[in-house]
């Protein structure tokens, strides 16, 4: 009789594991971002799309080098400049025909090649915190500026407006 019980164990375990797996899939992801990475993910993707469409940049971007300056971030937003830089870098590298992406350093301005572009970004609070029933939103404005290394003249500028979920920061 004990052999019969052990014979039923593998199919029973398989059934239990399948039910647990399907239950996990059915519950889905969180309704709002739970981590800084998730909170900045959408912002980074929107910014990368705008940069990828910038008129001064040739297409395809695969031969271009974007030098990302450390972002300026309003301290009231609670986002570190390193987190925003990481989000922008990942999103730019995730473009279909992504450019090469490097951290900009002043030494890179000397002897810059024609395929190099410096991307400056500034994330600022665009209003007071918005208290909703289940969370607080932080309105922001992300300013993007594309220029040649060693030049202060902007070749392209864009701004993105939105709000970050404060509970994810």
């Amino acid at each position: 009789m004990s052999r019969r019980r052990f014979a039923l164990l593998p199919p029973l375990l398989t059934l239990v594991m399948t039910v647990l797996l399907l239950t996990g899939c059915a519950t889905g992801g969180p309704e709002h971002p739970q981590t800084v990475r998730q909170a900045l993910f959408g912002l980074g993707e929107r910014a990368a799309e705008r940069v990828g469409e910038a008129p001064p940049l040739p297409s395809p971007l695969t031969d271009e080098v974007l030098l990302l300056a450390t972002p300026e971030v309003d301290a009231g937003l609670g986002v570190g400049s390193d987190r925003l830089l990481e989000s922008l870098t990942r999103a730019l590298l995730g473009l279909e025909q992504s450019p090469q992406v490097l951290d900009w350093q002043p030494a890179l301005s000397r002897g810059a090649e024609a395929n190099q572009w410096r991307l400056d970004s500034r994330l600022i609070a665009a209003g007071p915190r918005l208290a909703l029933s289940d969370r607080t939103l932080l309105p922001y404005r992300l300013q993007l500026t594309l220029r040649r290394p060693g030049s202060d003249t902007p070749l392209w500028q864009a701004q993105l407006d939105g709000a970050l979920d404060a509970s994810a920061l």
Side-chain angles (χ1 to χ4, degrees):
M1 192 92 156
S2 65
R3 281 189 180 181
R4 187 178 210 186
R5 285 187 198 168
F6 287 122
L8 294 175
L9 191 57
L12 184 60
L13 286 175
T14 302
L15 178 63
V16 169
M17 293 301 287
T18 303
V19 169
L20 289 174
L21 179 63
L22 292 176
T23 303
C25 292
T27 59
E31 291 182 21
H32 59 287
Q34 298 297 320
T35 66
V36 173
R37 180 172 287 174
Q38 289 173 326
L40 295 177
F41 180 76
L43 174 59
E45 280 191 329
R46 287 180 50 215
E49 288 172 8
R50 291 291 294 272
V51 171
E53 298 167 353
L57 292 174
S59 184
L61 290 174
T62 53
D63 293 331
E64 302 306 302
V65 178
L66 285 180
L67 306 169
L68 271 58
T70 301
E72 294 178 40
V73 179
D74 187 335
L77 290 171
V79 176
S81 60
D82 57 333
R83 293 288 189 186
L84 180 58
L85 182 63
E86 176 188 2
S87 179
L88 288 172
T89 302
R90 286 179 183 272
L92 287 164
L93 291 173
L95 291 173
E96 187 174 322
Q97 295 182 344
S98 69
Q100 298 175 45
V101 180
L102 300 172
D103 288 342
W104 177 77
Q105 303 296 324
L108 295 174
S109 295
R110 294 185 294 277
E113 300 293 326
N115 68 335
Q116 293 180 342
W117 307 82
R118 189 175 106 204
L119 180 64
D120 296 318
S121 55
R122 185 172 180 222
L123 184 64
I124 56 174
R129 292 174 175 255
L130 303 172
L132 304 179
S133 61
D134 63 339
R135 65 185 132 205
T136 301
L137 299 178
L138 305 169
Y140 68 80
R141 174 167 292 138
L142 177 63
Q143 299 171 335
L144 302 166
T145 305
L146 194 61
R147 56 183 101 228
R148 290 293 186 177
S151 173
D152 289 332
T153 306
L155 299 173
W156 172 85
Q157 291 181 313
Q159 68 182 30
L160 301 170
D161 293 304
L164 295 170
D165 185 344
S167 65
L169 299 176

